[in-house]
Structure formats: C-alpha cells, structure tokens
Amino acid sequence: KDSSNNESAKDAAHVVTIELVNGVLTTPTVTSSIYGFDGGGGSKTKQLITGSTQSRIRFDFFSGESFTNAEIQVTLEGMIFTTNDYYTISGWTHPTSDQISNNGHTLTFTGSNIGVSDIAFELHNKVMPAPGTYLIKFKADADGPGTARSYSEEQVITLIILPPA
C-alpha cells in the first residue's frame, strides 16, 4: 500500500515467501544470477562424451548475500562426490567423508562466513555416465539452519552427456 492507502495489483513477480520454523520467522536466502561452469559467469550447460574420463570439471556459484555460519548443499546426478574432489570458499580443500551423503550424490558443508563471494567446486577424474541430461543443484542457507534465513531456491546447471561420435 502506498501513503494514500492504495493497494497495488498482486503479481507473481513480487511474491515473497515467509516460512515459520521453530518459532523463528524466516525468509529465503537470496540467490545470485552468477553461477555456472568454468568461473560461473558463463555457461549453465556443459557437453561431454559418455565413458570419457574428465580430469577436472569446475563449476562456480556466487553467494547472493553475505554468509554467517552458512550451510551450503550441492547435489550431483549421474556422478558422486569423493574426498578426492575439491571445493573452495577461501582456499581449496577436499570434502571430508562426513560432508558427503545421499550415496555420494550430495555434499553439505557448514560454517561459511564470507561476504558475497565465489564458491567453486572441482570434480576430479570422473568417468562420464550414460548418455543423458544430468543436473547439478546448488542451494544455501545464509545463516545456518533454524535461524532468520532459510534455504534459497535451488539453482541448477546441466551436464549433457553425449554418445561417442
């Protein structure tokens, strides 16, 4: 409503979801439009050949707002995370086995305290699965579970696995 008490028309572009969790009013973590393969500013798809071994597949996500004790979750279709892969917020590190779940398909890490910044991932020495379309999904809770922010909408990039030529 404006100062004259006129109410604007309702439309989907201006909807805000508010979620009540454990008695705390929460709102979703802000997403960013900068994410994707090889630096995040480029492609949201990557094509590879089935059966090929990729020494490195890099994908990046930039946080949409400042993180304080954040929880970040990435899920792979068609491949699994291992402790030989890497992620970085302020320095490259291997995921630990307790950060990997969902039969290797999900990586969750907590405690991130960065400003708006790049979060990068590198998958190492992965054999490409059968031909098809596989999603890599990313979501973040800027201040950790059960607090003022909730998980963002999932952001998705796509691996397209092609048959041999």
Side-chain angles (χ1 to χ4, degrees):
K1 293 184 178 182
D2 64 17
S3 60
S4 300
N5 211 24
N6 298 313
E7 187 172 329
S8 61
K10 294 176 175 76
D11 63 24
H14 296 92
V15 171
V16 174
T17 302
I18 299 175
E19 178 182 351
L20 187 61
V21 178
N22 295 332
V24 177
L25 189 62
T26 63
T27 55
T29 298
V30 175
T31 58
S32 170
S33 61
I34 305 170
Y35 62 97
F37 291 100
D38 305 319
S43 179
K44 307 269 188 285
T45 62
K46 189 173 202 72
Q47 293 184 349
L48 299 166
I49 304 297
T50 188
S52 66
T53 300
Q54 300 298 310
S55 61
R56 182 181 81 101
I57 300 172
R58 179 178 170 156
F59 52 97
D60 296 63
F61 296 92
F62 286 75
S63 57
E65 63 182 278
S66 293
F67 284 173
T68 304
N69 199 36
E71 182 170 283
I72 298 138
Q73 189 175 87
V74 180
T75 302
L76 299 174
E77 292 180 352
M79 292 180 286
I80 61 170
F81 285 104
T82 69
T83 55
N84 292 326
D85 296 322
Y86 288 92
Y87 70 90
T88 182
I89 296 174
S90 58
W92 289 102
T93 187
H94 292 286
T96 60
S97 58
D98 63 326
Q99 293 174 306
I100 300 171
S101 62
N102 187 22
N103 294 319
H105 294 284
T106 302
L107 170 63
T108 304
F109 54 97
T110 58
S112 173
N113 292 298
I114 61 170
V116 178
S117 183
D118 184 15
I119 304 165
F121 302 86
E122 281 189 3
L123 306 175
H124 283 253
N125 300 312
K126 300 294 183 201
V127 176
M128 295 301 97
T133 300
Y134 298 91
L135 303 179
I136 299 173
K137 304 172 189 174
F138 170 85
K139 64 181 182 175
D141 182 337
D143 59 2
T147 51
R149 307 303 275 178
S150 61
Y151 265 113
S152 63
E153 292 182 25
E154 279 188 332
Q155 294 177 276
V156 177
I157 57 176
T158 307
L159 275 175
I160 300 169
I161 306 302
L162 303 170

